[in-house]
Amino acid sequence: MTTVTRTRPGAVAAITALLVLLLASCGSPEPETSPEKLFREYTRSTDVKNDMFPSDVGSSEDRIANFASKGTAEELLGTLLSATPCDLESDAGTDYDYESNTGCPPNGSVRAAAQDFAGSEGELFRRSVLVQREDGSLELITLYVAQKPDKSESAVLIDSNGKTYTGGLEDFRENNDLLSTDDVILTPRALTSVPGEGGIVTVFGHAPPSWRLWFIGGVVTVLVLGLWLTLSKRRRTRTATDEPPE
């Protein structure tokens, strides 16, 4: 006589939980570097490309002391990541003065994208984002935020190539051509907020393509189901073998 062994409800629940956990791990992960750690690395580094606060100090200790004379860590971080106004009518290439918040260097592509969205009466802001490249080097890149004069629509994000993003941080991460999936950025979560609000996060500079996530999820699903079927078959075989003859 053949005995059909039913899988216990607890086993089904355990397999389901494992499947959900594995599929969740296929999503876009967060980097191990925390906002606090990356910002601390910035304050100690004497070699930051496009640094907002360049100096001739020769050591990390001197750089930290120089920052301490400018204010608290929170004030420095706010200055580093805040959106500051630009003049849409100013000449491209005007040097920006971080001390007085004057001037703005949008190139022609940025200016054209901003005026296309906001018109000549709109407002343009620039925002620095801290990037840690795969090799550990640090760099500040400039992004822009354009707003219509009547604020009738949500602000649009513009990169240095004039490419626009209407969906905030996630839209930028999914579609930008500036950063890779190995770059880590320090940025406000509300990337188009002016001058800045909400939490500060570290995320990978580019999200992996959605097809890759679906592919990985499919492979994980097949492996988990295959394991479950194999274990079920072994359990049925063991039950039939251990059953005493009539």
Side-chain angles (χ1 to χ4, degrees), residues 9-25 220 224:
V12 174
I15 292 173
T16 302
L18 176 61
L19 180 59
V20 171
L21 178 63
L22 291 175
L23 286 175
S25 69
V220 170
V224 172

Short mmCIF file of all heavy atoms in Angstrom, two decimals, residues 9-25 220 224:
data_model
loop_
_atom_site.label_atom_id
_atom_site.label_comp_id
_atom_site.label_asym_id
_atom_site.label_seq_id
_atom_site.Cartn_x
_atom_site.Cartn_y
_atom_site.Cartn_z
N PRO A 9 1.59 21.97 7.76
CA PRO A 9 1.37 23.41 7.56
C PRO A 9 2.55 24.25 7.99
O PRO A 9 2.86 25.27 7.38
CB PRO A 9 0.13 23.69 8.43
CG PRO A 9 -0.58 22.37 8.49
CD PRO A 9 0.49 21.33 8.50
N GLY A 10 3.22 23.81 9.06
CA GLY A 10 4.38 24.56 9.53
C GLY A 10 5.49 24.58 8.51
O GLY A 10 6.19 25.59 8.33
N ALA A 11 5.68 23.47 7.79
CA ALA A 11 6.70 23.41 6.76
C ALA A 11 6.37 24.33 5.59
O ALA A 11 7.22 25.02 5.03
CB ALA A 11 6.88 21.98 6.27
N VAL A 12 5.09 24.34 5.22
CA VAL A 12 4.66 25.22 4.14
C VAL A 12 4.91 26.69 4.51
O VAL A 12 5.39 27.48 3.71
CB VAL A 12 3.17 25.00 3.82
CG1 VAL A 12 2.69 26.03 2.79
CG2 VAL A 12 2.95 23.59 3.30
N ALA A 13 4.56 27.04 5.75
CA ALA A 13 4.76 28.41 6.20
C ALA A 13 6.24 28.78 6.20
O ALA A 13 6.62 29.90 5.83
CB ALA A 13 4.18 28.58 7.61
N ALA A 14 7.09 27.83 6.63
CA ALA A 14 8.53 28.10 6.67
C ALA A 14 9.08 28.31 5.27
O ALA A 14 9.89 29.22 5.03
CB ALA A 14 9.26 26.95 7.36
N ILE A 15 8.64 27.48 4.31
CA ILE A 15 9.11 27.61 2.94
C ILE A 15 8.64 28.93 2.34
O ILE A 15 9.37 29.63 1.64
CB ILE A 15 8.62 26.41 2.09
CG1 ILE A 15 9.31 25.13 2.57
CG2 ILE A 15 8.89 26.65 0.61
CD1 ILE A 15 8.79 23.87 1.92
N THR A 16 7.38 29.29 2.62
CA THR A 16 6.84 30.55 2.12
C THR A 16 7.61 31.73 2.67
O THR A 16 7.94 32.68 1.94
CB THR A 16 5.35 30.69 2.49
OG1 THR A 16 4.63 29.57 1.96
CG2 THR A 16 4.76 31.97 1.96
N ALA A 17 7.91 31.68 3.97
CA ALA A 17 8.67 32.78 4.59
C ALA A 17 10.06 32.89 3.98
O ALA A 17 10.57 33.99 3.74
CB ALA A 17 8.76 32.56 6.09
N LEU A 18 10.69 31.73 3.72
CA LEU A 18 12.02 31.74 3.13
C LEU A 18 11.98 32.33 1.72
O LEU A 18 12.84 33.12 1.33
CB LEU A 18 12.58 30.32 3.07
CG LEU A 18 13.94 30.15 2.38
CD1 LEU A 18 15.01 30.95 3.11
CD2 LEU A 18 14.33 28.68 2.31
N LEU A 19 10.93 31.96 0.96
CA LEU A 19 10.79 32.47 -0.39
C LEU A 19 10.63 33.99 -0.39
O LEU A 19 11.25 34.70 -1.17
CB LEU A 19 9.59 31.81 -1.07
CG LEU A 19 9.29 32.24 -2.51
CD1 LEU A 19 10.47 31.95 -3.40
CD2 LEU A 19 8.05 31.53 -3.03
N VAL A 20 9.78 34.50 0.49
CA VAL A 20 9.57 35.94 0.59
C VAL A 20 10.86 36.66 0.96
O VAL A 20 11.20 37.71 0.42
CB VAL A 20 8.46 36.26 1.60
CG1 VAL A 20 8.37 37.76 1.87
CG2 VAL A 20 7.12 35.74 1.11
N LEU A 21 11.61 36.08 1.91
CA LEU A 21 12.86 36.68 2.35
C LEU A 21 13.87 36.74 1.22
O LEU A 21 14.54 37.77 1.01
CB LEU A 21 13.43 35.89 3.54
CG LEU A 21 14.79 36.36 4.09
CD1 LEU A 21 14.65 37.78 4.64
CD2 LEU A 21 15.27 35.42 5.18
N LEU A 22 13.98 35.66 0.47
CA LEU A 22 14.94 35.62 -0.62
C LEU A 22 14.57 36.57 -1.74
O LEU A 22 15.42 37.24 -2.32
CB LEU A 22 15.07 34.19 -1.16
CG LEU A 22 15.74 33.19 -0.21
CD1 LEU A 22 15.69 31.79 -0.81
CD2 LEU A 22 17.18 33.58 0.07
N LEU A 23 13.28 36.65 -2.04
CA LEU A 23 12.84 37.57 -3.07
C LEU A 23 13.07 39.02 -2.65
O LEU A 23 13.44 39.87 -3.45
CB LEU A 23 11.35 37.34 -3.38
CG LEU A 23 11.04 36.08 -4.18
CD1 LEU A 23 9.53 35.92 -4.31
CD2 LEU A 23 11.68 36.11 -5.55
N ALA A 24 12.85 39.30 -1.36
CA ALA A 24 13.07 40.66 -0.86
C ALA A 24 14.54 41.03 -0.97
O ALA A 24 14.89 42.19 -1.23
CB ALA A 24 12.61 40.78 0.59
N SER A 25 15.42 40.05 -0.79
CA SER A 25 16.85 40.33 -0.86
C SER A 25 17.31 40.63 -2.27
O SER A 25 18.41 41.13 -2.49
CB SER A 25 17.65 39.13 -0.31
OG SER A 25 17.54 38.02 -1.18
N VAL A 220 15.62 32.36 -7.84
CA VAL A 220 15.42 32.02 -6.43
C VAL A 220 14.15 31.20 -6.25
O VAL A 220 14.12 30.21 -5.52
CB VAL A 220 15.37 33.30 -5.57
CG1 VAL A 220 14.93 32.97 -4.15
CG2 VAL A 220 16.73 33.98 -5.55
N VAL A 224 14.05 27.38 -4.71
CA VAL A 224 13.31 27.07 -3.49
C VAL A 224 12.25 26.01 -3.76
O VAL A 224 12.10 25.05 -2.98
CB VAL A 224 12.66 28.34 -2.91
CG1 VAL A 224 11.73 28.00 -1.75
CG2 VAL A 224 13.74 29.30 -2.42
#
